[in-house]
Amino acid sequence: MFRSSATASNAAHAGDLEADTRVLSNTLNDMGTRWLIGSKLAFMNMGESMLNSEFLELLPPRRVILELSPQLVPSTALVSRVEYLRSLGFSIALDDFSFEAKSAVLLEQANYVKLNVQRHAPNAFQVLAAHLRSYPVVRIAERVETQEHFRQCQELGLDGFQGFYFSHPETLSARVIEPAFANTLELLNLLRRDASIASVEKVLKRDLAMSYKLLRYVNSAAAGLNTQIASFAHAVTVLGYNKLYRWLTLLLITAAEDSLAPVALQKTVVTRARLMELLGQAKLLGAEACDELFVTGMFSLLDVLFDMPMASIMEHLQVPEKIKQALLRREGEYGHYLQVAIDCESEAEDSGLARNSRALGLDGKQLNAAHLSALAWVEELGL
């Protein structure tokens, strides 16, 4: 459900589309479906505008139940849309159900029906619950707030229960960084022109927030994948241009200007990432390893950006073990490259740069050339 702040207890004055869009964006990009949902099912309130939006197809359909208001007026077109969403694997729930509600037209499409135990007199509630036995739906009692409510619903043989008797709602919040507006627009234009993957990857490589959100999304349950992806080119290939275009549009319309990463920090992480990639190339590592070195550098300051321990961030981000070791402990093969990149930023003579470079088998000439090239590359990006 949408809440405008950590202290809000209702949706305030947000319109249906704004509320639905914020919930969708937060679920996909700022919290992540794998962490938020896990192996469970998520009931998400949906207004008519979002039901008709292609943004819904960014969600993991087998994990999401689309919950429809009793005030929803089902036109012929909307009924067809609900049928299509069910064909994609989404389940449908009818909230606060009664046979007099406008949404009752959708009963044949419903998988779940929620019955408000406080809205009906006990006898009427019993009749309603009994009537629904003849339909192949899961009957859920809602607003169960007392032991008497629970006992009544149990005796009627309802399938599920929801309400304050079990737990109170918890408001979740997340620190958010947003991609640069210009980068998002440029990517949308590239995708519209069916530009090369290399062109798309170039933009992703200069935007920390976008690269972080993309890899987290593509590795989440939302993408339905069984393999880890740490390359931007691989992520773009797996998602496809159409799905990537929808995802970027969602980012664009939900971005907050005050959430942009500081320019100085962006320059630091992109320089660090490019330097690590170039050092990997100097050591004749494969393309996959060089891509992963770039990602390691890009994500090495996420703890600073989010103002939280790197270990907590790793709980929300699926990356290969080599990247995780480097980010958490500066250990492993990538950890050495990351430490060299960090040493290059230090003016202290005892920074350990020479020692760490020798550990990788890099001489001063190779390191200087790579560092200058990385700095020049970042200037060309215009950061």
Side-chain angles (χ1 to χ4, degrees):
M1 300 181 71
F2 171 80
R3 295 293 178 263
S4 58
S5 69
T7 57
S9 59
N10 55 49
H13 301 293
D16 285 348
L17 183 57
E18 177 191 351
D20 294 346
T21 304
R22 287 289 177 185
V23 169
L24 185 62
S25 179
N26 290 341
T27 301
L28 290 173
N29 301 317
D30 301 327
M31 294 182 179
T33 51
R34 180 171 295 178
W35 173 78
L36 194 62
I37 301 173
S39 60
K40 299 179 176 60
L41 300 174
F43 286 76
M44 299 181 70
N45 290 345
M46 289 290 151
E48 183 173 355
S49 296
M50 183 55 73
L51 280 174
N52 286 309
S53 168
E54 291 185 339
F55 288 147
L56 279 187
E57 295 173 36
L58 296 171
L59 287 166
R62 303 293 176 184
R63 288 271 177 262
V64 173
I65 294 96
L66 306 176
E67 188 167 326
L68 311 185
S69 164
Q71 279 74 49
L72 191 68
V73 181
S75 63
T76 302
L78 188 62
V79 172
S80 297
R81 175 64 176 170
V82 171
E83 290 175 353
Y84 173 71
L85 291 170
R86 279 203 60 176
S87 74
L88 295 180
F90 287 102
S91 295
I92 304 297
L94 301 181
D95 187 29
D96 197 3
F97 180 82
S98 73
F99 282 96
E100 292 74 36
K102 298 172 182 176
S103 62
V105 175
L106 293 167
L107 184 57
E108 295 292 338
Q109 300 297 325
N111 307 88
Y112 300 83
V113 170
K114 290 189 173 184
L115 307 178
N116 187 334
V117 69
Q118 296 191 41
R119 185 177 293 279
H120 308 276
N123 288 341
F125 189 79
Q126 181 178 357
V127 170
L128 178 59
H131 193 173
L132 284 168
R133 282 183 183 275
S134 59
Y135 291 87
V137 295
V138 176
R139 299 171 304 157
I140 300 174
E142 61 180 342
R143 295 198 65 190
V144 179
E145 298 184 0
T146 67
Q147 188 174 18
E148 177 59 26
H149 288 156
F150 185 39
R151 183 192 60 76
Q152 176 191 355
C153 296
Q154 275 188 311
E155 289 176 354
L156 293 174
L158 294 180
D159 306 299
F161 312 91
Q162 166 187 333
F164 289 178
Y165 180 67
F166 306 100
S167 65
H168 284 256
E170 179 184 358
T171 300
L172 303 179
S173 58
R175 179 74 176 272
V176 178
I177 55 171
E178 301 290 0
F181 183 78
N183 289 340
T184 307
L185 282 182
E186 183 177 351
L187 264 183
L188 287 170
N189 288 330
L190 287 172
L191 294 174
R192 194 180 295 116
R193 296 199 304 268
D194 200 26
S196 68
I197 289 180
S199 301
V200 173
E201 185 181 28
K202 185 176 181 180
V203 179
L204 286 168
K205 281 187 169 183
R206 70 185 186 220
D207 196 306
L208 168 62
M210 192 182 297
S211 61
Y212 167 72
K213 288 172 184 278
L214 176 62
L215 287 187
R216 192 164 94 170
Y217 169 58
V218 80
N219 280 295
S220 74
L225 303 169
N226 296 316
T227 183
Q228 287 184 339
I229 294 174
S231 156
F232 299 132
H234 191 186
V236 173
T237 302
V238 167
L239 280 182
Y241 278 20
N242 287 339
K243 202 163 191 177
L244 181 58
Y245 192 91
R246 289 178 200 157
W247 179 79
L248 286 167
T249 305
L250 184 65
L251 284 187
L252 189 66
I253 64 177
T254 58
E257 290 184 5
D258 58 356
S259 300
L260 296 175
V263 174
L265 199 59
Q266 291 184 54
K267 293 186 73 167
T268 298
V269 295
V270 176
T271 303
R272 189 180 289 184
R274 180 60 172 169
L275 173 57
M276 292 177 65
E277 180 182 39
L278 291 173
L279 292 178
Q281 292 173 2
K283 293 295 297 178
L284 302 180
L285 300 184
E288 181 178 350
C290 290
D291 284 341
E292 292 181 351
L293 283 171
F294 187 94
V295 169
T296 303
M298 282 288 276
F299 291 174
S300 60
L301 285 174
L302 286 177
D303 53 342
V304 176
L305 272 172
F306 287 114
D307 191 24
M308 64 190 296
M310 185 66 79
S312 299
I313 294 172
M314 287 297 101
E315 292 177 7
H316 307 283
L317 186 64
Q318 301 297 315
V319 293
E321 189 61 30
K322 286 183 179 181
I323 296 179
K324 188 176 292 186
Q325 285 182 349
L327 295 176
L328 290 175
R329 298 179 293 276
R330 304 289 188 266
E331 293 178 355
E333 181 184 357
Y334 296 170
H336 293 303
Y337 283 92
L338 177 56
Q339 192 57 59
V340 166
I342 293 172
D343 290 340
C344 283
E345 298 162 11
S346 173
E347 295 180 0
E349 293 183 5
D350 60 347
S351 65
L353 178 59
R355 182 179 65 257
N356 291 318
S357 298
R358 284 196 299 270
L360 287 175
L362 292 165
D363 59 38
K365 185 177 180 180
Q366 287 176 305
L367 184 59
N368 285 335
H371 195 195
L372 287 171
S373 180
L375 290 168
W377 189 75
V378 172
E379 290 304 315
E380 289 175 8
L381 293 178
L383 292 177

